[in-house]
Amino acid sequence: MKHRLSPSHYVFGWLFGLTVFSNLTLMAQSPASKGSVLVSDTAYFDMNKDLTEQLVPFDEIYQAALRYSPLLQVQNAVSDSKMENYRYTKVLVLDNIYPFVNYSQGNQTLVATGTNPTDGLQLSNGTRWGVNVQIPLTSIFGRRNLVQQAKADYRVTQAQKGVIALALKRELIVIYQNLVVAQRTMQVRLRDEQVTLTAYRVAEVETQQGKTTPDQLAHISNAYTVTKTYAERARGDFMISFYDLEALVGVPLQSLMLK
């Protein structure tokens, strides 16, 4: 007749499994495994080490975002467009000035026909040149306002760049902190997952040996399922924060690693 373990013996065996795993975890953190990674996108980072110790300081990340962020690149393009429009507006009055040059041949007689009063004062041969100026009154009295409006539009885009830069920094702070917290949470969840996995494997062996009941195995299996779910969510949260930061800065994070 087989001896049936009491619940206290079962709990002791489960804790023994956790202790064994803890020792294995310390061994896994030896230099040989320091290069372990989560996915290929983070292959340049050591996931056993805090990202704050691997990335350049936050101020340098922010400066990179100011140079490469798509948000500011769009605003810079708008600002450049407004500057070119301002420069064009300042010379727009020249649209009403028409230089001309023409040449004709004939005898030296005066043109006596024509509908214009000046026809009788023109020679029928030779080269004539000059400038025809027709400036509307709106160009005379409204030019200054038009130029000032174009200048104000440019200044608005410059002010918007400052607003966007401030909003970018605030969002960058949030995403950066989310990434740091997500990595630390993921490390804890992965450790819990490995602990319960070890306990589950130990319980499987003990069940086959008759030292653990199927009900106790099911309980440990359920605990492993819960920790596995939490670990997968933690992985997902970390990768979301990782990609969010890359997208906001505009460059791969590996280019922002400490040398």
Side-chain angles (χ1 to χ4, degrees):
M1 179 177 179
K2 295 183 179 181
H3 177 67
R4 183 183 181 87
L5 290 177
S6 65
S8 60
H9 286 84
Y10 161 71
V11 173
F12 175 78
W14 188 58
L15 292 177
F16 173 78
L18 298 183
T19 304
V20 171
F21 173 75
S22 299
N23 294 331
L24 293 175
T25 300
L26 293 175
M27 295 174 61
Q29 293 178 348
S30 61
S33 65
K34 283 292 184 70
S36 61
V37 297
L38 181 64
V39 291
S40 59
D41 302 87
T42 59
Y44 294 90
F45 296 94
D46 181 359
M47 290 296 101
N48 295 321
K49 186 178 180 181
D50 203 307
L51 285 180
T52 57
E53 301 176 10
Q54 303 179 66
L55 291 172
V56 297
F58 176 79
D59 287 340
E60 294 185 31
I61 297 177
Y62 175 59
Q63 292 302 320
L66 291 179
R67 292 192 299 269
Y68 303 111
S69 175
L71 295 176
L72 280 175
Q73 286 182 351
V74 170
Q75 190 60 31
N76 287 336
V78 173
S79 180
D80 292 343
S81 174
K82 294 297 183 181
M83 170 54 75
E84 295 302 322
N85 182 65
Y86 169 58
R87 291 171 178 170
Y88 173 73
T89 303
K90 291 196 295 185
V91 299
L92 188 61
V93 68
L94 299 179
D95 281 352
N96 300 302
I97 300 176
Y98 309 95
F100 70 87
V101 176
N102 58 44
Y103 175 81
S104 62
Q105 283 186 329
N107 55 34
Q108 294 294 331
T109 60
L110 293 174
V111 177
T113 61
T115 58
N116 294 325
T118 58
D119 286 342
L121 303 178
Q122 296 180 7
L123 294 175
S124 61
N125 66 342
T127 302
R128 294 183 297 275
W129 57 271
V131 176
N132 184 21
V133 179
Q134 296 177 345
I135 302 179
L137 293 178
T138 54
S139 297
I140 297 176
F141 297 102
R143 178 178 179 277
R144 181 177 180 276
N145 302 91
L146 193 62
V147 172
Q148 291 299 319
Q149 179 184 8
K151 184 178 181 180
D153 289 342
Y154 171 71
R155 293 174 62 184
V156 167
T157 60
Q158 290 296 100
Q160 287 176 339
K161 286 175 60 176
V163 173
I164 293 176
L166 177 60
L168 176 65
K169 185 172 186 178
R170 297 180 66 178
E171 186 174 1
L172 196 64
I173 292 173
V174 173
I175 294 179
Y176 180 80
Q177 292 300 322
N178 287 345
L179 178 62
V180 172
V181 173
Q183 185 199 17
R184 294 171 181 173
T185 302
M186 179 183 67
Q187 291 172 337
V188 173
R189 294 301 187 185
L190 290 177
R191 184 170 63 248
D192 288 346
E193 176 191 359
Q194 292 301 317
V195 168
T196 54
L197 176 60
T198 300
Y200 174 72
R201 288 174 176 173
V202 171
E204 276 189 318
V205 174
E206 291 182 346
T207 300
Q208 295 174 355
Q209 296 174 350
K211 298 179 180 179
T212 302
T213 65
D215 289 341
Q216 294 169 336
L217 177 63
H219 177 74
I220 298 178
S221 176
N222 181 68
Y224 171 67
T225 301
V226 172
T227 56
K228 176 70 173 178
T229 301
Y230 285 143
E232 292 300 326
R233 289 178 180 174
R235 286 190 184 97
D237 291 341
F238 172 78
M239 294 310 303
I240 289 174
S241 298
F242 186 90
Y243 288 131
D244 277 349
L245 187 60
E246 271 197 348
L248 193 61
V249 175
V251 295
L253 292 187
Q254 68 187 63
S255 64
L256 300 176
M257 293 181 63
L258 291 171
K259 303 300 182 182

